[in-house]
Amino acid sequence: MDQVVNDINAINEVEKQLLKDRLSRLVAGFQARLGPRSPGELFAARAPGRVNLIGEHTDYNDGWVLPIAITRDVLMVGAARDDERVRLYAMDLADEVAFDLAENAFDDRHTWSNYIRGVIDVLQRRGFTLRGMDIAFTGNVPRGGGLSSSAALEVAAVMLLKALCGLEIPPLEDIKMAQQAENEFVGVRCGIMDQFISRLGRRHHALLIDCRTLEYRQIPWPADDVQLLVVDTKVERGLAGSAYNQRRLECETGARILAEKLPHVKALRDVTEEQFAAQAALLDEVVRRRCAHVVGENSRTLAAAKALAAGDYAKLGRLMIASHESLRDLYEVSCRELDAVVEIALATEGVYGARMTGGGFGGCAIALVAAGALSRLAANLRREYPKVAGHLPGLLPTIAGDGAAVRPLAAWQEEVMGQ
Ligand code: GLA
C-alpha cells in the first residue's frame, strides 16, 4: 500500500486494471459454469460499496447523510433465457442455485442468493414481467465489513435485471426497490443511504442526501489536497442483529413522545437542537441519549456539507470527531476496536478527523488526512492497532467513485479492456 497511498492517479490506474481483470475472469467463470453465450447476449452491471463521511443513524429518522461511493464493487454478468429458470452463480464462493421464477423463496442454505431473490421478489410484486436468466457475480467489497456489500449486490441485481428484462425504471425507484428487498425479503430494517449512494454516487463527489424527500446535492470531494483512509477493524458486525432494530425503535419512541408536545414532529428530523433541549426531560434516559445523538448528528451533517463545499477540512474533521463521540457515548454503537482506530488516527499529525462509519459494532472507521500524512497514519495503525485488537487492520485508501451502471458487455469491454 505504501507505494500507492500517496498517488491518487496510481489508484485510478490500479483500479482500472483490476476492473479489467475481474470482468474477464467473471465472463470466463460465467461461460464455464452456466454455458457459452454469444457476447451480444451478455450484459454487465457494477454497483459500489460506500463509506459515510457523516450522518450516521440519521437515514431512518428522515434526516441527512453525506456518503461517497467507493471504488470496490459487485460486478455481475447475465443473459436472459427463453424459459422461466433462474440460475445464480456466486463465483467467489463457487456456489450456485437454480429455481423457477414462480418458486422464488427465501433460501436458508444459500443466504447470499437472498439479496438477488429479494430484488426478483420486489420486481414481481410491483407487477413487472421478468424473464428467466443466468447470472454470475463477483465482489471485492469486504463482506460483513460495514461497507455495504449487501446494498451493492442488491443494486447490481436491480440494474442487471432491468437490462435483461427490458424494464424502464427511474433511479429513485431502483433505490427504493433495492431497499425494499433488504427490508422485506432479507429482513433487515436498514435505511435508504446505502442503496442510494451505491446507485447515484459520483466520482470525486460526496452526496448530501435528504432521506425524507430523497433530494440530493453533489459536493465535490477533492482528490488531491486531502485523502480518506478506510480502516477495517476486521471485527465482523451483525447488522441483522437486534441492536440496530432496537435503536430504530428507541428513535421512533422518542419521536412519538416529542410529538405530543411538538405536533409538527413526524420523525426526529423535525426536532431542532433548541426544541430538543427544551423537551428532553420528557424522555427516559436511554431514549433521550439516542435522540440526542440523532438531533445533533443531523445538524453536524448539514454543517459538514457546508464545510466540505468550502474546503474547510479542519471544521469537517472536528465534526467527524464529534460524530464519533456521540455514536460512542450516546448512541452506543461503537466498540473497542473502532475507538482504538479513531484514537490512533487522532494522535497522528496531519489527521483532521476520524470516526466509525456505517452501522457500527465493528466494521470500518474512516480518517480524513492531509495529503502526505497517509503513510504516517498507515504506519501508526499497523504498529498500534494490533496491541488492542490482536490483529492488523485492513487499510483501504479510497477516492469517491461512481455509482452503479449497466451496459452490454461489449460496451464495458470497449471502455476498460480497450477492445
Ligand atoms: C447501516 C444501514 C444504513 C444506515 C447505517 C447507519 O449501514 O444499512 O441504512 O442506517 O447503518 O447510519
mmCIF file with all atom_site columns, all heavy atoms in Angstrom, residues 319-340:
data_model
loop_
_atom_site.group_PDB
_atom_site.id
_atom_site.type_symbol
_atom_site.label_atom_id
_atom_site.label_alt_id
_atom_site.label_comp_id
_atom_site.label_asym_id
_atom_site.label_entity_id
_atom_site.label_seq_id
_atom_site.pdbx_PDB_ins_code
_atom_site.Cartn_x
_atom_site.Cartn_y
_atom_site.Cartn_z
_atom_site.occupancy
_atom_site.B_iso_or_equiv
_atom_site.pdbx_formal_charge
_atom_site.auth_seq_id
_atom_site.auth_comp_id
_atom_site.auth_asym_id
_atom_site.auth_atom_id
_atom_site.pdbx_PDB_model_num
ATOM 1   N N   . LEU A 1 319 ? -16.111 18.010 13.094 1.00 0.00 ? 319 LEU A N   1
ATOM 2   C CA  . LEU A 1 319 ? -17.480 17.474 13.090 1.00 0.00 ? 319 LEU A CA  1
ATOM 3   C C   . LEU A 1 319 ? -17.459 15.945 13.079 1.00 0.00 ? 319 LEU A C   1
ATOM 4   O O   . LEU A 1 319 ? -18.284 15.288 13.723 1.00 0.00 ? 319 LEU A O   1
ATOM 5   C CB  . LEU A 1 319 ? -18.255 18.016 11.887 1.00 0.00 ? 319 LEU A CB  1
ATOM 6   C CG  . LEU A 1 319 ? -18.579 19.512 11.966 1.00 0.00 ? 319 LEU A CG  1
ATOM 7   C CD1 . LEU A 1 319 ? -18.924 20.079 10.587 1.00 0.00 ? 319 LEU A CD1 1
ATOM 8   C CD2 . LEU A 1 319 ? -19.736 19.767 12.944 1.00 0.00 ? 319 LEU A CD2 1
ATOM 9   N N   . MET A 1 320 ? -16.499 15.384 12.347 1.00 0.00 ? 320 MET A N   1
ATOM 10  C CA  . MET A 1 320 ? -16.380 13.917 12.320 1.00 0.00 ? 320 MET A CA  1
ATOM 11  C C   . MET A 1 320 ? -16.033 13.375 13.710 1.00 0.00 ? 320 MET A C   1
ATOM 12  O O   . MET A 1 320 ? -16.568 12.353 14.147 1.00 0.00 ? 320 MET A O   1
ATOM 13  C CB  . MET A 1 320 ? -15.305 13.489 11.312 1.00 0.00 ? 320 MET A CB  1
ATOM 14  C CG  . MET A 1 320 ? -15.727 13.703 9.864  1.00 0.00 ? 320 MET A CG  1
ATOM 15  S SD  . MET A 1 320 ? -14.349 13.484 8.698  1.00 0.00 ? 320 MET A SD  1
ATOM 16  C CE  . MET A 1 320 ? -13.998 11.750 8.904  1.00 0.00 ? 320 MET A CE  1
ATOM 17  N N   . ILE A 1 321 ? -15.152 14.071 14.394 1.00 0.00 ? 321 ILE A N   1
ATOM 18  C CA  . ILE A 1 321 ? -14.755 13.628 15.741 1.00 0.00 ? 321 ILE A CA  1
ATOM 19  C C   . ILE A 1 321 ? -15.969 13.689 16.682 1.00 0.00 ? 321 ILE A C   1
ATOM 20  O O   . ILE A 1 321 ? -16.247 12.757 17.445 1.00 0.00 ? 321 ILE A O   1
ATOM 21  C CB  . ILE A 1 321 ? -13.600 14.493 16.285 1.00 0.00 ? 321 ILE A CB  1
ATOM 22  C CG1 . ILE A 1 321 ? -12.360 14.329 15.402 1.00 0.00 ? 321 ILE A CG1 1
ATOM 23  C CG2 . ILE A 1 321 ? -13.283 14.126 17.735 1.00 0.00 ? 321 ILE A CG2 1
ATOM 24  C CD1 . ILE A 1 321 ? -11.259 15.364 15.659 1.00 0.00 ? 321 ILE A CD1 1
ATOM 25  N N   . ALA A 1 322 ? -16.719 14.799 16.589 1.00 0.00 ? 322 ALA A N   1
ATOM 26  C CA  . ALA A 1 322 ? -17.913 14.932 17.443 1.00 0.00 ? 322 ALA A CA  1
ATOM 27  C C   . ALA A 1 322 ? -18.928 13.839 17.112 1.00 0.00 ? 322 ALA A C   1
ATOM 28  O O   . ALA A 1 322 ? -19.600 13.304 18.010 1.00 0.00 ? 322 ALA A O   1
ATOM 29  C CB  . ALA A 1 322 ? -18.533 16.315 17.242 1.00 0.00 ? 322 ALA A CB  1
ATOM 30  N N   . SER A 1 323 ? -19.029 13.490 15.845 1.00 0.00 ? 323 SER A N   1
ATOM 31  C CA  . SER A 1 323 ? -19.945 12.423 15.441 1.00 0.00 ? 323 SER A CA  1
ATOM 32  C C   . SER A 1 323 ? -19.540 11.106 16.096 1.00 0.00 ? 323 SER A C   1
ATOM 33  O O   . SER A 1 323 ? -20.373 10.365 16.638 1.00 0.00 ? 323 SER A O   1
ATOM 34  C CB  . SER A 1 323 ? -19.931 12.292 13.912 1.00 0.00 ? 323 SER A CB  1
ATOM 35  O OG  . SER A 1 323 ? -20.571 11.113 13.516 1.00 0.00 ? 323 SER A OG  1
ATOM 36  N N   . HIS A 1 324 ? -18.237 10.825 16.065 1.00 0.00 ? 324 HIS A N   1
ATOM 37  C CA  . HIS A 1 324 ? -17.785 9.566  16.670 1.00 0.00 ? 324 HIS A CA  1
ATOM 38  C C   . HIS A 1 324 ? -18.086 9.534  18.175 1.00 0.00 ? 324 HIS A C   1
ATOM 39  O O   . HIS A 1 324 ? -18.572 8.519  18.698 1.00 0.00 ? 324 HIS A O   1
ATOM 40  C CB  . HIS A 1 324 ? -16.292 9.326  16.434 1.00 0.00 ? 324 HIS A CB  1
ATOM 41  C CG  . HIS A 1 324 ? -15.858 8.005  16.990 1.00 0.00 ? 324 HIS A CG  1
ATOM 42  N ND1 . HIS A 1 324 ? -16.101 6.818  16.337 1.00 0.00 ? 324 HIS A ND1 1
ATOM 43  C CD2 . HIS A 1 324 ? -15.285 7.661  18.176 1.00 0.00 ? 324 HIS A CD2 1
ATOM 44  C CE1 . HIS A 1 324 ? -15.678 5.805  17.071 1.00 0.00 ? 324 HIS A CE1 1
ATOM 45  N NE2 . HIS A 1 324 ? -15.176 6.287  18.194 1.00 0.00 ? 324 HIS A NE2 1
ATOM 46  N N   . GLU A 1 325 ? -17.803 10.636 18.831 1.00 0.00 ? 325 GLU A N   1
ATOM 47  C CA  . GLU A 1 325 ? -18.027 10.669 20.292 1.00 0.00 ? 325 GLU A CA  1
ATOM 48  C C   . GLU A 1 325 ? -19.501 10.435 20.611 1.00 0.00 ? 325 GLU A C   1
ATOM 49  O O   . GLU A 1 325 ? -19.853 9.734  21.559 1.00 0.00 ? 325 GLU A O   1
ATOM 50  C CB  . GLU A 1 325 ? -17.545 12.010 20.862 1.00 0.00 ? 325 GLU A CB  1
ATOM 51  C CG  . GLU A 1 325 ? -16.024 12.089 20.853 1.00 0.00 ? 325 GLU A CG  1
ATOM 52  C CD  . GLU A 1 325 ? -15.478 13.489 21.142 1.00 0.00 ? 325 GLU A CD  1
ATOM 53  O OE1 . GLU A 1 325 ? -16.279 14.446 21.207 1.00 0.00 ? 325 GLU A OE1 1
ATOM 54  O OE2 . GLU A 1 325 ? -14.240 13.598 21.285 1.00 0.00 ? 325 GLU A OE2 1
ATOM 55  N N   . SER A 1 326 ? -20.355 11.022 19.800 1.00 0.00 ? 326 SER A N   1
ATOM 56  C CA  . SER A 1 326 ? -21.788 10.883 20.003 1.00 0.00 ? 326 SER A CA  1
ATOM 57  C C   . SER A 1 326 ? -22.243 9.439  19.744 1.00 0.00 ? 326 SER A C   1
ATOM 58  O O   . SER A 1 326 ? -23.062 8.883  20.485 1.00 0.00 ? 326 SER A O   1
ATOM 59  C CB  . SER A 1 326 ? -22.505 11.868 19.074 1.00 0.00 ? 326 SER A CB  1
ATOM 60  O OG  . SER A 1 326 ? -23.888 11.731 19.173 1.00 0.00 ? 326 SER A OG  1
ATOM 61  N N   . LEU A 1 327 ? -21.690 8.821  18.701 1.00 0.00 ? 327 LEU A N   1
ATOM 62  C CA  . LEU A 1 327 ? -22.044 7.423  18.398 1.00 0.00 ? 327 LEU A CA  1
ATOM 63  C C   . LEU A 1 327 ? -21.534 6.491  19.493 1.00 0.00 ? 327 LEU A C   1
ATOM 64  O O   . LEU A 1 327 ? -22.170 5.496  19.831 1.00 0.00 ? 327 LEU A O   1
ATOM 65  C CB  . LEU A 1 327 ? -21.454 7.014  17.044 1.00 0.00 ? 327 LEU A CB  1
ATOM 66  C CG  . LEU A 1 327 ? -22.160 7.653  15.845 1.00 0.00 ? 327 LEU A CG  1
ATOM 67  C CD1 . LEU A 1 327 ? -21.252 7.677  14.620 1.00 0.00 ? 327 LEU A CD1 1
ATOM 68  C CD2 . LEU A 1 327 ? -23.450 6.899  15.525 1.00 0.00 ? 327 LEU A CD2 1
ATOM 69  N N   . ARG A 1 328 ? -20.391 6.845  20.056 1.00 0.00 ? 328 ARG A N   1
ATOM 70  C CA  . ARG A 1 328 ? -19.787 6.025  21.114 1.00 0.00 ? 328 ARG A CA  1
ATOM 71  C C   . ARG A 1 328 ? -20.543 6.194  22.443 1.00 0.00 ? 328 ARG A C   1
ATOM 72  O O   . ARG A 1 328 ? -20.915 5.212  23.074 1.00 0.00 ? 328 ARG A O   1
ATOM 73  C CB  . ARG A 1 328 ? -18.322 6.464  21.282 1.00 0.00 ? 328 ARG A CB  1
ATOM 74  C CG  . ARG A 1 328 ? -17.522 5.666  22.295 1.00 0.00 ? 328 ARG A CG  1
ATOM 75  C CD  . ARG A 1 328 ? -16.185 6.346  22.564 1.00 0.00 ? 328 ARG A CD  1
ATOM 76  N NE  . ARG A 1 328 ? -16.394 7.656  23.169 1.00 0.00 ? 328 ARG A NE  1
ATOM 77  C CZ  . ARG A 1 328 ? -15.496 8.658  23.149 1.00 0.00 ? 328 ARG A CZ  1
ATOM 78  N NH1 . ARG A 1 328 ? -14.333 8.512  22.525 1.00 0.00 ? 328 ARG A NH1 1
ATOM 79  N NH2 . ARG A 1 328 ? -15.762 9.806  23.718 1.00 0.00 ? 328 ARG A NH2 1
ATOM 80  N N   . ASP A 1 329 ? -20.817 7.448  22.819 1.00 0.00 ? 329 ASP A N   1
ATOM 81  C CA  . ASP A 1 329 ? -21.334 7.697  24.169 1.00 0.00 ? 329 ASP A CA  1
ATOM 82  C C   . ASP A 1 329 ? -22.857 7.754  24.246 1.00 0.00 ? 329 ASP A C   1
ATOM 83  O O   . ASP A 1 329 ? -23.438 7.373  25.251 1.00 0.00 ? 329 ASP A O   1
ATOM 84  C CB  . ASP A 1 329 ? -20.777 9.021  24.711 1.00 0.00 ? 329 ASP A CB  1
ATOM 85  C CG  . ASP A 1 329 ? -19.252 9.006  24.746 1.00 0.00 ? 329 ASP A CG  1
ATOM 86  O OD1 . ASP A 1 329 ? -18.672 7.898  24.781 1.00 0.00 ? 329 ASP A OD1 1
ATOM 87  O OD2 . ASP A 1 329 ? -18.648 10.092 24.702 1.00 0.00 ? 329 ASP A OD2 1
ATOM 88  N N   . LEU A 1 330 ? -23.494 8.283  23.195 1.00 0.00 ? 330 LEU A N   1
ATOM 89  C CA  . LEU A 1 330 ? -24.946 8.466  23.262 1.00 0.00 ? 330 LEU A CA  1
ATOM 90  C C   . LEU A 1 330 ? -25.702 7.352  22.528 1.00 0.00 ? 330 LEU A C   1
ATOM 91  O O   . LEU A 1 330 ? -26.695 6.833  23.022 1.00 0.00 ? 330 LEU A O   1
ATOM 92  C CB  . LEU A 1 330 ? -25.341 9.817  22.653 1.00 0.00 ? 330 LEU A CB  1
ATOM 93  C CG  . LEU A 1 330 ? -24.781 11.067 23.345 1.00 0.00 ? 330 LEU A CG  1
ATOM 94  C CD1 . LEU A 1 330 ? -25.151 12.322 22.562 1.00 0.00 ? 330 LEU A CD1 1
ATOM 95  C CD2 . LEU A 1 330 ? -25.318 11.160 24.772 1.00 0.00 ? 330 LEU A CD2 1
ATOM 96  N N   . TYR A 1 331 ? -25.226 7.031  21.329 1.00 0.00 ? 331 TYR A N   1
ATOM 97  C CA  . TYR A 1 331 ? -25.946 6.012  20.552 1.00 0.00 ? 331 TYR A CA  1
ATOM 98  C C   . TYR A 1 331 ? -25.465 4.606  20.892 1.00 0.00 ? 331 TYR A C   1
ATOM 99  O O   . TYR A 1 331 ? -26.149 3.627  20.629 1.00 0.00 ? 331 TYR A O   1
ATOM 100 C CB  . TYR A 1 331 ? -25.808 6.316  19.052 1.00 0.00 ? 331 TYR A CB  1
ATOM 101 C CG  . TYR A 1 331 ? -27.083 6.028  18.294 1.00 0.00 ? 331 TYR A CG  1
ATOM 102 C CD1 . TYR A 1 331 ? -28.241 6.746  18.541 1.00 0.00 ? 331 TYR A CD1 1
ATOM 103 C CD2 . TYR A 1 331 ? -27.137 5.020  17.338 1.00 0.00 ? 331 TYR A CD2 1
ATOM 104 C CE1 . TYR A 1 331 ? -29.420 6.472  17.870 1.00 0.00 ? 331 TYR A CE1 1
ATOM 105 C CE2 . TYR A 1 331 ? -28.306 4.743  16.653 1.00 0.00 ? 331 TYR A CE2 1
ATOM 106 C CZ  . TYR A 1 331 ? -29.446 5.477  16.929 1.00 0.00 ? 331 TYR A CZ  1
ATOM 107 O OH  . TYR A 1 331 ? -30.616 5.201  16.255 1.00 0.00 ? 331 TYR A OH  1
ATOM 108 N N   . GLU A 1 332 ? -24.239 4.554  21.440 1.00 0.00 ? 332 GLU A N   1
ATOM 109 C CA  . GLU A 1 332 ? -23.648 3.289  21.915 1.00 0.00 ? 332 GLU A CA  1
ATOM 110 C C   . GLU A 1 332 ? -23.615 2.192  20.853 1.00 0.00 ? 332 GLU A C   1
ATOM 111 O O   . GLU A 1 332 ? -24.102 1.088  21.062 1.00 0.00 ? 332 GLU A O   1
ATOM 112 C CB  . GLU A 1 332 ? -24.359 2.829  23.185 1.00 0.00 ? 332 GLU A CB  1
ATOM 113 C CG  . GLU A 1 332 ? -24.138 3.836  24.319 1.00 0.00 ? 332 GLU A CG  1
ATOM 114 C CD  . GLU A 1 332 ? -24.875 3.474  25.595 1.00 0.00 ? 332 GLU A CD  1
ATOM 115 O OE1 . GLU A 1 332 ? -26.100 3.706  25.650 1.00 0.00 ? 332 GLU A OE1 1
ATOM 116 O OE2 . GLU A 1 332 ? -24.210 2.986  26.511 1.00 0.00 ? 332 GLU A OE2 1
ATOM 117 N N   . VAL A 1 333 ? -23.032 2.561  19.699 1.00 0.00 ? 333 VAL A N   1
ATOM 118 C CA  . VAL A 1 333 ? -22.872 1.571  18.627 1.00 0.00 ? 333 VAL A CA  1
ATOM 119 C C   . VAL A 1 333 ? -21.405 1.394  18.221 1.00 0.00 ? 333 VAL A C   1
ATOM 120 O O   . VAL A 1 333 ? -21.115 0.757  17.218 1.00 0.00 ? 333 VAL A O   1
ATOM 121 C CB  . VAL A 1 333 ? -23.721 1.931  17.374 1.00 0.00 ? 333 VAL A CB  1
ATOM 122 C CG1 . VAL A 1 333 ? -25.200 1.774  17.661 1.00 0.00 ? 333 VAL A CG1 1
ATOM 123 C CG2 . VAL A 1 333 ? -23.416 3.351  16.882 1.00 0.00 ? 333 VAL A CG2 1
ATOM 124 N N   . SER A 1 334 ? -20.483 1.986  18.988 1.00 0.00 ? 334 SER A N   1
ATOM 125 C CA  . SER A 1 334 ? -19.072 1.784  18.667 1.00 0.00 ? 334 SER A CA  1
ATOM 126 C C   . SER A 1 334 ? -18.577 0.526  19.378 1.00 0.00 ? 334 SER A C   1
ATOM 127 O O   . SER A 1 334 ? -19.364 -0.211 19.972 1.00 0.00 ? 334 SER A O   1
ATOM 128 C CB  . SER A 1 334 ? -18.257 3.006  19.096 1.00 0.00 ? 334 SER A CB  1
ATOM 129 O OG  . SER A 1 334 ? -16.916 2.877  18.630 1.00 0.00 ? 334 SER A OG  1
ATOM 130 N N   . CYS A 1 335 ? -17.299 0.262  19.305 1.00 0.00 ? 335 CYS A N   1
ATOM 131 C CA  . CYS A 1 335 ? -16.717 -0.854 20.046 1.00 0.00 ? 335 CYS A CA  1
ATOM 132 C C   . CYS A 1 335 ? -15.247 -0.514 20.285 1.00 0.00 ? 335 CYS A C   1
ATOM 133 O O   . CYS A 1 335 ? -14.730 0.476  19.753 1.00 0.00 ? 335 CYS A O   1
ATOM 134 C CB  . CYS A 1 335 ? -16.864 -2.171 19.273 1.00 0.00 ? 335 CYS A CB  1
ATOM 135 S SG  . CYS A 1 335 ? -15.968 -2.202 17.719 1.00 0.00 ? 335 CYS A SG  1
ATOM 136 N N   . ARG A 1 336 ? -14.584 -1.329 21.081 1.00 0.00 ? 336 ARG A N   1
ATOM 137 C CA  . ARG A 1 336 ? -13.206 -1.077 21.488 1.00 0.00 ? 336 ARG A CA  1
ATOM 138 C C   . ARG A 1 336 ? -12.291 -0.870 20.278 1.00 0.00 ? 336 ARG A C   1
ATOM 139 O O   . ARG A 1 336 ? -11.474 0.041  20.237 1.00 0.00 ? 336 ARG A O   1
ATOM 140 C CB  . ARG A 1 336 ? -12.747 -2.310 22.280 1.00 0.00 ? 336 ARG A CB  1
ATOM 141 C CG  . ARG A 1 336 ? -11.547 -2.156 23.149 1.00 0.00 ? 336 ARG A CG  1
ATOM 142 C CD  . ARG A 1 336 ? -11.490 -3.364 24.105 1.00 0.00 ? 336 ARG A CD  1
ATOM 143 N NE  . ARG A 1 336 ? -11.549 -4.632 23.377 1.00 0.00 ? 336 ARG A NE  1
ATOM 144 C CZ  . ARG A 1 336 ? -10.485 -5.338 22.995 1.00 0.00 ? 336 ARG A CZ  1
ATOM 145 N NH1 . ARG A 1 336 ? -9.277  -4.935 23.290 1.00 0.00 ? 336 ARG A NH1 1
ATOM 146 N NH2 . ARG A 1 336 ? -10.630 -6.473 22.338 1.00 0.00 ? 336 ARG A NH2 1
ATOM 147 N N   . GLU A 1 337 ? -12.454 -1.709 19.265 1.00 0.00 ? 337 GLU A N   1
ATOM 148 C CA  . GLU A 1 337 ? -11.556 -1.653 18.113 1.00 0.00 ? 337 GLU A CA  1
ATOM 149 C C   . GLU A 1 337 ? -11.787 -0.380 17.290 1.00 0.00 ? 337 GLU A C   1
ATOM 150 O O   . GLU A 1 337 ? -10.837 0.231  16.811 1.00 0.00 ? 337 GLU A O   1
ATOM 151 C CB  . GLU A 1 337 ? -11.736 -2.895 17.237 1.00 0.00 ? 337 GLU A CB  1
ATOM 152 C CG  . GLU A 1 337 ? -11.281 -4.204 17.892 1.00 0.00 ? 337 GLU A CG  1
ATOM 153 C CD  . GLU A 1 337 ? -12.348 -4.841 18.785 1.00 0.00 ? 337 GLU A CD  1
ATOM 154 O OE1 . GLU A 1 337 ? -13.406 -4.210 19.017 1.00 0.00 ? 337 GLU A OE1 1
ATOM 155 O OE2 . GLU A 1 337 ? -12.109 -5.965 19.267 1.00 0.00 ? 337 GLU A OE2 1
ATOM 156 N N   . LEU A 1 338 ? -13.059 0.000  17.114 1.00 0.00 ? 338 LEU A N   1
ATOM 157 C CA  . LEU A 1 338 ? -13.345 1.244  16.372 1.00 0.00 ? 338 LEU A CA  1
ATOM 158 C C   . LEU A 1 338 ? -12.782 2.440  17.136 1.00 0.00 ? 338 LEU A C   1
ATOM 159 O O   . LEU A 1 338 ? -12.176 3.342  16.553 1.00 0.00 ? 338 LEU A O   1
ATOM 160 C CB  . LEU A 1 338 ? -14.856 1.420  16.174 1.00 0.00 ? 338 LEU A CB  1
ATOM 161 C CG  . LEU A 1 338 ? -15.517 0.551  15.100 1.00 0.00 ? 338 LEU A CG  1
ATOM 162 C CD1 . LEU A 1 338 ? -17.038 0.585  15.228 1.00 0.00 ? 338 LEU A CD1 1
ATOM 163 C CD2 . LEU A 1 338 ? -15.106 1.021  13.698 1.00 0.00 ? 338 LEU A CD2 1
ATOM 164 N N   . ASP A 1 339 ? -12.985 2.430  18.458 1.00 0.00 ? 339 ASP A N   1
ATOM 165 C CA  . ASP A 1 339 ? -12.462 3.539  19.268 1.00 0.00 ? 339 ASP A CA  1
ATOM 166 C C   . ASP A 1 339 ? -10.937 3.596  19.170 1.00 0.00 ? 339 ASP A C   1
ATOM 167 O O   . ASP A 1 339 ? -10.350 4.680  19.113 1.00 0.00 ? 339 ASP A O   1
ATOM 168 C CB  . ASP A 1 339 ? -12.868 3.369  20.741 1.00 0.00 ? 339 ASP A CB  1
ATOM 169 C CG  . ASP A 1 339 ? -14.376 3.534  20.937 1.00 0.00 ? 339 ASP A CG  1
ATOM 170 O OD1 . ASP A 1 339 ? -15.035 4.081  20.023 1.00 0.00 ? 339 ASP A OD1 1
ATOM 171 O OD2 . ASP A 1 339 ? -14.888 3.110  21.988 1.00 0.00 ? 339 ASP A OD2 1
ATOM 172 N N   . ALA A 1 340 ? -10.308 2.430  19.141 1.00 0.00 ? 340 ALA A N   1
ATOM 173 C CA  . ALA A 1 340 ? -8.842  2.397  19.071 1.00 0.00 ? 340 ALA A CA  1
ATOM 174 C C   . ALA A 1 340 ? -8.361  3.015  17.757 1.00 0.00 ? 340 ALA A C   1
ATOM 175 O O   . ALA A 1 340 ? -7.421  3.821  17.741 1.00 0.00 ? 340 ALA A O   1
ATOM 176 C CB  . ALA A 1 340 ? -8.339  0.961  19.206 1.00 0.00 ? 340 ALA A CB  1
#
